[in-house]
């Protein structure tokens, strides 16, 4: 990591703070800053300018790790605009997913809600009280398409049909429920494929309630989310795949 030049930056809120705390615990050498995009990116532009003034001219001033699981046009557009306006040397990573770590975390959230059964040691599905799962994400149609790979990974873990849906686009949660019921899956569960700040919790519970499905908690500050922040950050410097591997 050249001169500790990279700063992971994510959405604001309690969840982001919790994720940051986990990352810092194992990687105290990272200068990690959390910036909210609630204002459309104005704070991020200011942060970039401040960081750039403190960094050597060579190398990136910061590395942005968007705290989203997949394509999220509004978030990514705000980040790109902030980079352009600040004129700072900034690298923007890929979203946190898709990745098997996040599929595992979704499995855990389902198990915690009593919507999937898992072996304690290997998180391998034994049996399930439901016969169809909806992976619901935020970010519109593009986000739903981006969640397809994660749905496949989760289906392999659960040996159940799993389909993606968008809380704010197409296919909608209702579309996904109809698709599952058309193949005979009537006991449905929904697992939010979101970290937390991307959408309103009430919107999630209302979507699940509208189709009569059980609902797991969002990914939140699951350790796998923090680990994926580290994976994306390290990849910006040419390789790192977990905790404890970052060095000056």
């Amino acid at each position: 990591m050249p001169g500790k030049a990279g700063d992971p930056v994510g959405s604001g809120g309690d969840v982001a703070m919790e994720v940051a705390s986990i990352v810092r615990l194992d990687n105290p050498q990272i200068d990690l800053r959390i910036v909210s995009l609630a204002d459309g990116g104005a704070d991020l532009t200011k942060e970039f300018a401040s960081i750039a003034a403190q960094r050597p001219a060579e190398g990136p001033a910061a590395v942005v790790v968007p705290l989203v699981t997949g394509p999220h046009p509004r978030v990514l557009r705000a980040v790109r605009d902030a980079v352009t306006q600040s004129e700072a040397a900034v690298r923007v990573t890929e979203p946190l997913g898709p990745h098997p770590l996040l599929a595992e975390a979704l499995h855990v959230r389902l198990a915690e809600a009593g919507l999937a059964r898992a072996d304690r040691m290997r998180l391998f599905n034994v049996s399930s009280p439901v016969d169809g799962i909806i992976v619901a994400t935020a970010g519109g149609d593009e986000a739903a398409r981006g969640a397809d790979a994660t749905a496949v990974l989760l289906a392999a873990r659960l040996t159940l049909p799993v389909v993606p849906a968008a809380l704010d686009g197409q296919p909608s949660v209702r579309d996904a429920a109809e698709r599952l019921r058309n193949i005979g899956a009537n006991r449905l569960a929904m697992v939010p494929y979101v970290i937390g700040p991307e959408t309103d919790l009430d919107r999630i519970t209302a979507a699940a309630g509208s189709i009569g499905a059980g609902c797991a908690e969002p990914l939140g500050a699951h350790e796998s989310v923090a680990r994926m922040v580290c994976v994306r950050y390290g990849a910006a410097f040419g390789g790192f795949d977990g905790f404890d591997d970052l060095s000056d």
Side-chain angles (χ1 to χ4, degrees), residues 71-127:
H72 195 300
R74 180 182 60 80
V75 168
L76 300 181
R77 182 167 53 251
V79 171
R80 286 194 300 268
D81 289 348
V83 172
T84 300
Q85 292 171 23
S86 70
E87 299 183 347
V90 176
R91 294 178 184 173
V92 182
T93 75
E94 295 293 320
L96 303 187
H99 196 279
L101 279 173
L102 295 186
E104 178 181 307
L106 291 176
H107 189 171
V108 170
R109 292 294 186 238
L110 285 163
E112 289 171 344
L115 299 169
R117 304 194 186 281
D119 177 271
R120 288 186 178 182
M121 296 300 293
R122 295 186 300 153
L123 298 176
F124 184 79
N125 191 68
V126 178
S127 61

Side-chain angles (χ1 to χ4, degrees), residues 56-236:
E58 66 277 6
V63 172
V64 180
V65 182
L67 204 57
V68 291
T69 56
H72 195 300
R74 180 182 60 80
V75 168
L76 300 181
R77 182 167 53 251
V79 171
R80 286 194 300 268
D81 289 348
V83 172
T84 300
Q85 292 171 23
S86 70
E87 299 183 347
V90 176
R91 294 178 184 173
V92 182
T93 75
E94 295 293 320
L96 303 187
H99 196 279
L101 279 173
L102 295 186
E104 178 181 307
L106 291 176
H107 189 171
V108 170
R109 292 294 186 238
L110 285 163
E112 289 171 344
L115 299 169
R117 304 194 186 281
D119 177 271
R120 288 186 178 182
M121 296 300 293
R122 295 186 300 153
L123 298 176
F124 184 79
N125 191 68
V126 178
S127 61
S128 175
V130 301
D131 47 26
I133 306 288
I134 297 169
V135 171
T137 191
D141 302 6
E142 188 175 352
R145 289 192 296 271
D148 191 61
T150 299
V152 171
L153 290 169
L154 185 59
R157 297 182 64 87
L158 299 173
T159 62
L160 290 172
V162 179
V163 298
L167 292 160
D168 51 3
Q170 300 296 324
S172 68
V173 169
R174 285 185 177 275
D175 293 335
E178 183 177 357
R179 178 180 168 188
L180 287 169
R181 287 176 174 138
N182 284 341
I183 62 172
N186 294 302
R187 297 173 300 146
L188 305 182
M190 191 179 88
V191 58
Y193 187 44
V194 298
I195 310 301
E198 314 96 303
T199 191
D200 185 80
L201 184 59
D202 290 341
R203 186 173 198 168
I204 294 172
T205 54
S210 71
I211 59 168
C215 190
E217 292 292 320
L219 288 168
H222 190 281
E223 182 178 321
S224 292
V225 172
R227 184 165 182 178
M228 284 309 304
V229 169
C230 293
V231 169
R232 295 300 185 230
Y233 170 76

Side-chain angles (χ1 to χ4, degrees), residues 3-37:
K4 295 184 182 178
D7 298 62
V9 184
S11 299
D14 294 342
V15 171
M17 291 293 291
E18 291 177 38
V19 172
S21 296
I22 298 171
V23 173
R24 288 188 181 113
L25 185 64
D26 288 277
N27 303 281
Q29 73 277 21
I30 300 179
D31 180 4
L32 191 156
R33 309 183 189 191
I34 300 169
V35 182
S36 172
L37 295 177

